[in-house]
Amino acid sequence: MVRIGDRMPSSSDKRVVAVYPGSFDPVTNGHLDLIARGAMIFDRLVVAVSHNLEKDPLFDIRERIEMLEAVTFDWKNVEVEMFDGLLVEFARAKEARVILRGIRAVSDYEYELQMAMMNRKIEPQIETVFMLPGEPYSYLSSRLVKELARLGGPIKGLVPSMVEERLRTKVS
Ligand code: PNS
């Protein structure tokens, strides 16, 4: 149980680091929207790219990180890193107090709830914070973007332009 007064930040402990984890295969404009929102609220935002994907990624870890680094370059409080293993261990190593996740629709909620509760059980000091992406991105996912690209559908405006080019090359 968390009691009022538990882990109240001291005056030297006010910088809030958040970790934003995901597969980012590839990064979409929805992810970028969330990164922009997170970067405005948290002092430091570490975008944590999962290395160990059960699903076979289209882009390897190096490509996913490269694209994220390029499209987040302008945010000075945002960094991109790879992580392997337990997310909360990575977050602890970064001295993060927050795990940031986006929720698009009610359908995301069940999975996100399970993950947040499990992470809280492993590490009660780290809080999961959910944010809503902008409305135009509420239906957007990396999976759908990849499917569209494979089938020759329009992906303009759904991903940053460098990702659009890489996707087209990858699926051609
Ligand atoms: O973009 P995704 O695929 O929804 O991201 C899922 C991710 C990478 C955040 C999640 O699978 C994860 O945290 N993996 C790390 C392993 C872990 O810590 N598992 C226990 C949490 S329930």
Side-chain angles (χ1 to χ4, degrees), residues 11 42 50 54 68 79 99 111:
S11 55
F42 302 111
S50 170
E54 282 167 24
L68 268 162
E79 56 201 79
I99 291 171
Y111 168 63

Side-chain angles (χ1 to χ4, degrees), residues 41-105:
I41 288 187
F42 302 111
D43 296 296
R44 207 173 124 221
L45 184 66
V46 183
V47 180
V49 188
S50 170
H51 186 30
N52 251 350
L53 293 183
E54 282 167 24
K55 35 198 169 176
D56 205 12
L58 180 64
F59 292 96
D60 67 28
I61 185 74
R62 184 187 46 83
E63 293 173 300
R64 283 180 279 142
I65 288 181
E66 216 173 78
M67 288 186 278
L68 268 162
E69 279 177 343
V71 297
T72 59
F73 184 77
D74 287 338
W75 285 294
K76 295 305 166 211
N77 61 338
V78 174
E79 56 201 79
V80 182
E81 285 199 30
M82 184 267 275
F83 86 100
D84 221 350
L86 276 184
L87 172 62
V88 288
E89 276 177 13
F90 174 82
R92 245 188 244 136
K94 294 284 144 198
E95 299 186 342
R97 303 224 314 261
V98 169
I99 291 171
L100 173 65
R101 290 285 288 173
I103 289 199
R104 291 161 300 190

